[in-house]
Amino acid sequence: MNNDERLNRLEQRIMELEKEVTDLKQYRISKRVTTDTGPPSKTWIQGPVPSGTSYGETREKTPQENIRQKETDWEHLIARVWLPRVFLFVFLIGLIWGFKAAVDGGYITEGMRCIIGLLAGAAFVYLGARQHKHQRLLLSQVLLAGSIGIFMLTTFAAHYLYDFMSAPIAFILNVLWTVLGLLFSYRYKSQTLGVLAIVSGILTPFLVDNNPSTPFFVCYEVLLYTSAMIFAIRHRFVTLLYTSFILIHPAFLIFSMVGSISNDRWIVYGALVQHLILLASILLRTGILNHQHRVLISSFVLTAIWSRLILESDIVLILLSFTLLYSAISAYTWRKGFKDTLPYMLAISSYSLLFLLMEMAQNKWVVGLFIIEGFIALALGFIIKSLFQKINGLLIYLVGFLAGGIILLGGMDSLASVNTFIWIVILLTLAGIIVLLRYYSAENQNQTKEWIRVLYYGLGVLFLIFITDVTTVLTQNVSDNAQHLIISSTWVGYAIAVIAYGLKKKTKQVRLAGIALLFLTLIKVIFFDLPTVSMIMKAVLFIGLGGIGILLSRFFYKKE
């Protein structure tokens, strides 16, 4: 465990202890009040008898148990949490209607409207600060949040509706209101105010009646995201971290739809820079890493999508760069022992390679590479003991397996074909997965044995289909009678080999599988071969199959 993880756990434990101390203080105060007003009424609870307590004796509830069973304080929830929010909204609606009535009556000029808006925002700031000073925290947050909204609406009206200020001045003022919201969030330790400030900052370019250039817009949004990310990491504001990331990409999308884009490559550059900044914060081992890891995965996917949509000609180079970069970072984090970060680096490296192969997939041979990549990713998950990496590797493997299965359904044309390559890859990787399960799954041995047994049966069935395809290709120039005989003989030979292996290893399940395969061959001969072959071929098939069955039975008696 590194120092950052120890520090994070220590901070979390301190917060839990502070909460318990606060709850215990409230309990002691309520108990003192009860003692002053009358005899205390003890609450007794049945439960496990602690050591030193005689059997059948009941024990008094601890303060923690009384706190847990405390009913929801609806008065606090309604009066302190929702009452100010709802009625502030009502109050604002009333002000807007009164304001509109005064404007319609000609009592308030356009300049007075803007001045009143700024004064109202300042009044909300003053009242919010006073409410916070008197420990009315929720009411204070509502008032401060309302002040930011009033400031931005007033600036929008002064610029867009009344043309009192130019676009650069309106933009600067909106940036100042955003900074003011972040200052409120820092001063009053309120994540809600930080989220509101970032939302305001994201909307600022759209509130100015002057379409900015694409480079300016992208640089502003990336700078705003970087500031919000650093602020959220420093103060451990999880919601702010997710909000700042979630909003930047819709902002790019809206700007690309409604803006006059002259160079849309800048949006891809912005997404790449945003992703690399987030990656740097993780490699520096600062902040709330578990949440940063999740955001990093989503950031990679969205960055790849932007690159594919806009830089289609350069997508191969970008994905190759991602693959090499995250492969190197995976090796670095493995060497440094960053076990919490390594699975996410490997996952991004795996998916970037998958996307790269999909872009380069000019023929069916690449499907085999999908399967190989998925197996390698799955094997790395077993080696580093990461469930997350196992899931990612298994997903990639299943994608390749299904794509390969679709190709194999078309049949094999020749031995030197893509079908043969896919068959070999599937059979070898399935055998490799069995080895991984056998040597790396130390937990839940019974369930692991069941999965190994299922994979063995699946591998056996697939190998039977494979040798059937190969035999069919090799006998495509002979007569139908000879082809049916050779395929059935191949099945019988496979069954004999399985039974012999089971007898040698003294494994009952393998022997039974070989016997089942022998009966399956008999069913094939009866229902598929007999209706199409000549009489002499029917005699050969039945004599051969019957004789082999009797000899194998005698062999079992000999072993017994």
Side-chain angles (χ1 to χ4, degrees):
M1 185 183 298
N2 54 43
N3 293 331
D4 291 329
E5 292 177 347
R6 293 194 186 98
L7 182 60
N8 291 339
R9 292 191 177 183
L10 181 60
E11 291 178 353
Q12 183 178 2
R13 183 57 183 160
I14 291 174
M15 294 175 62
E16 293 175 354
L17 291 174
E18 288 178 349
K19 184 178 182 303
E20 291 182 3
V21 170
T22 303
D23 293 338
L24 288 173
K25 286 182 179 180
Q26 294 178 356
Y27 170 77
R28 292 185 63 183
I29 293 173
S30 62
K31 189 172 182 180
R32 189 181 300 116
V33 172
T34 306
T35 305
D36 294 339
T37 56
S41 59
K42 293 184 177 180
T43 304
W44 301 96
I45 178 173
Q46 299 290 339
V49 181
S51 59
T53 304
S54 60
Y55 179 80
E57 188 177 349
T58 56
R59 59 184 177 87
E60 187 177 2
K61 282 185 180 179
T62 63
Q64 292 89 341
E65 291 171 336
N66 279 319
I67 292 169
R68 290 193 198 104
Q69 293 188 355
K70 188 177 180 181
E71 296 182 357
T72 303
D73 189 351
W74 291 104
E75 180 182 4
H76 169 80
L77 185 64
I78 296 175
R80 297 185 181 182
V81 178
W82 288 106
L83 190 67
R85 299 178 182 179
V86 173
F87 283 90
L88 176 64
F89 183 71
V90 174
F91 178 73
L92 289 176
I93 292 178
L95 285 179
I96 292 172
W97 284 346
F99 188 81
K100 186 176 184 307
V103 170
D104 293 340
Y107 301 107
I108 301 178
T109 63
E110 294 178 348
M112 292 176 61
R113 300 171 198 174
C114 298
I115 294 174
I116 291 174
L118 294 175
L119 292 176
F124 271 53
V125 173
Y126 173 76
L127 292 174
R130 283 189 59 86
Q131 297 306 315
H132 187 274
K133 184 178 181 180
H134 291 86
Q135 300 299 317
R136 304 183 185 101
L137 303 182
L138 295 176
L139 180 59
S140 170
Q141 293 178 11
V142 171
L143 291 171
L144 292 173
S147 69
I148 301 300
I150 292 174
F151 283 139
M152 295 202 71
L153 289 175
T154 302
T155 304
F156 174 76
H159 163 66
Y160 187 81
L161 299 179
Y162 308 137
D163 201 23
F164 285 155
M165 61 183 67
S166 62
I169 295 177
F171 182 84
I172 293 173
L173 285 177
N174 282 327
V175 172
L176 289 177
W177 306 142
T178 301
V179 174
L180 182 63
L182 290 175
L183 290 176
F184 287 157
S185 177
Y186 171 77
R187 172 67 177 81
Y188 301 111
K189 302 296 186 293
S190 171
Q191 183 170 209
T192 304
L193 293 174
V195 171
L196 176 66
I198 294 304
V199 172
S200 303
I202 292 289
L203 294 176
T204 293
F206 302 101
L207 296 177
V208 178
D209 186 27
N210 183 21
N211 226 354
S213 64
T214 305
F216 176 80
F217 173 81
V218 171
C219 292
Y220 167 78
E221 296 290 347
V222 172
L223 180 62
L224 179 65
Y225 166 79
T226 304
S227 304
M229 185 196 72
I230 295 174
F231 186 79
I233 291 174
R234 182 177 296 274
H235 297 280
R236 309 186 69 82
F237 286 166
V238 176
T239 303
L240 179 59
L241 176 68
Y242 284 105
T243 302
S244 58
F245 166 73
I246 291 172
L247 291 180
I248 186 173
H249 290 279
F252 287 160
L253 179 61
I254 294 173
F255 185 79
S256 65
M257 295 172 61
V258 303
S260 56
I261 295 182
S262 57
N263 189 0
D264 52 1
R265 299 173 66 93
W266 276 89
I267 293 181
V268 180
Y269 300 154
L272 286 170
V273 171
Q274 175 263 336
H275 180 80
L276 294 176
I277 290 173
L278 180 60
L279 174 62
S281 71
I282 293 175
L283 295 180
L284 292 174
R285 309 294 294 170
T286 58
I288 38 183
L289 289 176
N290 53 337
H291 297 285
Q292 291 166 254
H293 291 148
R294 298 166 191 167
V295 174
L296 186 70
I297 295 287
S298 303
S299 175
F300 162 73
V301 174
L302 291 174
T303 302
I305 292 175
W306 279 116
S307 302
R308 183 64 180 82
L309 293 176
I310 297 178
L311 300 181
E312 184 175 356
S313 59
D314 299 329
I315 185 62
V316 172
L317 178 61
I318 293 174
L319 291 175
L320 178 61
S321 301
F322 267 117
T323 303
L324 296 176
L325 172 64
Y326 276 95
S327 298
I329 294 176
S330 298
Y332 171 77
T333 52
W334 194 344
R335 184 169 59 86
K336 289 293 185 179
F338 299 155
K339 295 182 178 180
D340 55 343
T341 301
L342 177 58
Y344 295 91
M345 303 298 109
L346 285 174
I348 296 179
S349 176
S350 302
Y351 283 118
S352 59
L353 179 58
L354 176 65
F355 295 158
L356 177 62
L357 292 176
M358 292 173 66
E359 288 293 331
M360 300 174 63
Q362 301 297 328
N363 51 54
K364 300 177 181 179
W365 290 86
V366 182
V367 174
L369 300 180
F370 289 170
I371 301 173
I372 295 174
E373 183 200 350
F375 172 74
I376 294 174
L378 181 62
L380 288 174
F382 278 99
I383 293 172
I384 67 175
K385 299 178 181 179
S386 168
L387 178 61
F388 181 75
Q389 178 61 21
K390 291 178 186 177
I391 293 174
N392 288 316
L394 183 61
L395 288 175
I396 297 173
Y397 184 82
L398 290 177
V399 170
F401 188 90
L402 292 175
I406 293 173
I407 294 175
L408 295 178
L409 288 176
M412 186 182 296
D413 298 328
S414 64
L415 284 181
S417 64
V418 64
N419 290 54
T420 305
F421 173 66
I422 293 176
W423 268 121
I424 294 174
V425 169
I426 288 178
L427 295 174
L428 291 178
T429 53
L430 279 177
I433 291 174
I434 294 174
V435 174
L436 291 173
L437 288 174
R438 180 177 293 172
Y439 288 101
Y440 286 100
S441 294
E443 300 178 358
N444 201 348
Q445 290 292 334
N446 293 331
Q447 186 176 3
T448 301
K449 290 180 180 178
E450 291 296 326
W451 278 110
I452 291 175
R453 185 177 295 111
V454 171
L455 287 175
Y456 265 127
Y457 288 141
L459 183 61
V461 172
L462 289 176
F463 187 75
L464 176 63
I465 300 174
F466 169 65
I467 61 175
T468 303
D469 279 356
V470 172
T471 306
T472 302
V473 170
L474 294 176
T475 59
Q476 58 185 350
N477 295 325
V478 303
S479 64
D480 291 341
N481 288 340
Q483 189 177 55
H484 284 292
L485 178 61
I486 295 173
I487 292 176
S488 297
S489 300
T490 305
W491 283 32
V492 172
Y494 182 38
I496 293 173
V498 172
I499 292 173
Y501 180 80
L503 290 170
K504 181 180 179 180
K505 295 294 183 179
K506 298 180 180 180
T507 306
K508 183 178 180 180
Q509 288 83 1
V510 176
R511 297 196 299 267
L512 290 175
I515 294 172
L517 180 57
L518 196 62
F519 278 101
L520 181 64
T521 306
L522 178 60
I523 294 173
K524 172 186 177 296
V525 169
I526 294 173
F527 290 99
F528 294 95
D529 295 346
L530 290 183
T532 58
V533 299
S534 63
M535 184 61 67
I536 185 64
M537 194 60 65
K538 292 178 183 179
V540 172
L541 286 172
F542 265 66
I543 291 173
L545 189 58
I548 291 173
I550 294 172
L551 288 176
L552 285 176
S553 176
R554 180 67 184 85
F555 192 66
F556 272 90
Y557 276 108
K558 182 178 179 180
K559 286 293 180 182
E560 188 65 28

